[in-house]
Amino acid sequence: MDSEALIRCGLFIGNAANDLSLSIPLGVNQDGQQIENISQERIGNGYYAQQLITHFGLNPFTLTYNTACTSSSNALIDAAAMLEGKLIDYALVIGMEMYAPLSFEGFISMQLLAPHAISPFDRDRQGLILGESISALFLSREEVASSTWHFLGGSSRCETHSVTGVNPDGNGIADVINNALNISHITPSDVTAVKAHGTASQLSDRAEINGMKRVFTEQPDFFSLKPYIGHTLGSCGVSELLLSMECIDEGFLPRTPNFKEPDQELEWQPLMSNRRCESGIFVHNCFGFGGNNSVMVVKKEPS
């Protein structure tokens, strides 16, 4: 891209815990033995955005998102809306998550970390394993640049069942999935497969299955990618979307590793082996800590 095109590109960054200027002092306050080894200057999402704008010569317009596990999916949904409104011609959407001691200790305190492996939707699932990721997705309107992949729509909504989790009956999840499908002018029967959030926590997996049961009359093919890369928190919206797109470009839907024993309470179970797939309509679930839920709908045209 030349400089004229780059200046028409907006930047959208989503992450959950990369503000070092806050995490380090909080860690020091929590544990007096920690050494504050970073200066007090602001080193957060806005700092990263400014560095990227300067380096690539992007439009000064930028938005950063911190909505826990839905950070980068919310960034993508907003980027697509601004492209549709012709406010920008291109969008660079970045999901990023690096190791943050405060986040790690928080998950330990809630007893949500698995001792060995992530086993989404398995009867004996024990929680998640955190991952790190930096992923980037470049978008444009159809008349600007063509692609076999299309973003059909997305929805982001909040529920207030609890401070930390979603309603286990799945009502909030069903609401946001239905809204995303309506915005995309898609019916549940049109969906080829679902990329589940699939964190392997007891509550979250139960809520996700219950939510999907409220939307789909029959079980769709669904899978979780967290056993492959861990839970990348604010980056998972973009990183998992890119991984699933890459799999479909290679001609398959991926299996969900570590699934061994069906959970009789859930009844539904994820793909246990790769399934041939080269095109279709795909729902991508992302449900955030604290009750923010987002769902994206994308389509891959046949080659």
Side-chain angles (χ1 to χ4, degrees):
M1 294 176 65
D2 58 25
S3 58
E4 183 180 341
L6 287 168
I7 200 64
R8 305 199 308 274
C9 179
L11 176 64
F12 303 78
I13 298 179
N15 60 59
N18 283 334
D19 194 335
L20 298 179
S21 60
L22 293 178
S23 65
I24 298 297
L26 285 170
V28 171
N29 184 62
Q30 185 181 46
D31 182 356
Q33 294 182 343
Q34 288 192 25
I35 299 174
E36 187 166 353
N37 56 4
I38 193 167
S39 66
Q40 291 299 311
E41 64 180 295
R42 188 77 175 177
I43 306 177
N45 302 350
Y47 174 84
Y48 304 131
Q50 189 56 54
Q51 295 298 307
L52 289 167
I53 289 169
T54 302
H55 181 79
F56 291 110
L58 305 178
N59 191 293
F61 174 80
T62 183
L63 289 173
T64 62
Y65 299 76
N66 187 333
T67 54
C69 313
T70 58
S71 298
S72 60
S73 56
N74 283 332
L76 203 158
I77 290 169
D78 281 359
M82 292 185 187
L83 284 167
E84 185 179 11
K86 299 188 176 181
L87 299 174
I88 51 177
D89 289 335
Y90 305 96
L92 177 61
V93 184
I94 295 176
M96 54 190 295
E97 202 70 49
M98 284 82 80
Y99 172 71
L102 195 66
S103 296
F104 183 73
E105 291 162 6
F107 280 103
I108 289 176
S109 68
M110 292 182 291
Q111 299 180 327
L112 289 176
L113 295 183
H116 303 295
I118 305 178
S119 306
F121 309 107
D122 188 87
R123 182 194 64 191
D124 301 320
R125 61 191 183 277
Q126 294 180 289
L128 54 90
I129 292 176
L130 296 176
E132 297 178 292
S133 169
I134 297 180
S135 51
L137 186 66
F138 191 72
L139 295 88
S140 68
R141 291 194 305 279
E142 181 68 23
E143 69 268 23
V144 176
S146 61
S147 171
T148 57
W149 282 99
H150 304 277
F151 184 90
L152 299 184
S155 177
S156 178
R157 292 189 169 186
C158 293
E159 59 173 297
T160 56
H161 173 74
S162 75
V163 174
T164 58
V166 294
N167 192 328
D169 71 4
N171 182 61
I173 288 174
D175 178 60
V176 73
I177 294 175
N178 278 323
N179 196 47
L181 293 177
N182 290 336
I183 289 171
S184 305
H185 305 292
I186 295 297
T187 65
S189 61
D190 296 324
V191 174
T192 305
V194 176
K195 191 288 298 176
H197 190 52
T199 63
S201 74
Q202 289 290 330
L203 175 62
S204 179
D205 283 8
R206 185 184 313 126
E208 184 164 17
I209 293 296
N210 286 339
M212 289 198 291
K213 286 180 177 179
R214 290 172 177 261
V215 175
F216 299 96
T217 55
E218 296 182 358
Q219 177 187 326
D221 286 337
F222 69 96
F223 57 91
S224 172
L225 293 170
K226 289 179 176 62
Y228 294 98
I229 61 171
H231 190 354
T232 58
L233 301 179
S235 181
C236 75
V238 172
S239 61
E240 293 183 11
L241 175 60
L242 288 172
L243 281 175
S244 61
M245 289 170 63
E246 190 71 19
C247 290
I248 295 160
D249 283 341
E250 292 296 321
F252 70 96
L253 295 173
R255 70 183 183 92
T256 301
N258 306 326
F259 182 88
K260 298 176 181 178
E261 297 293 337
D263 187 329
Q264 298 303 316
E265 183 180 354
L266 302 183
E267 297 177 327
W268 289 8
Q269 58 189 56
L271 289 174
M272 298 180 65
S273 60
N274 294 346
R275 202 208 83 181
R276 184 169 178 79
C277 180
E278 297 179 343
S279 62
I281 295 172
F282 307 95
V283 168
H284 287 255
N285 293 341
C286 289
F287 308 127
F289 186 83
N292 180 245
N293 303 324
S294 69
V295 171
M296 302 178 290
V297 183
V298 298
K299 181 178 181 179
K300 169 71 185 297
E301 299 282 0
S303 300

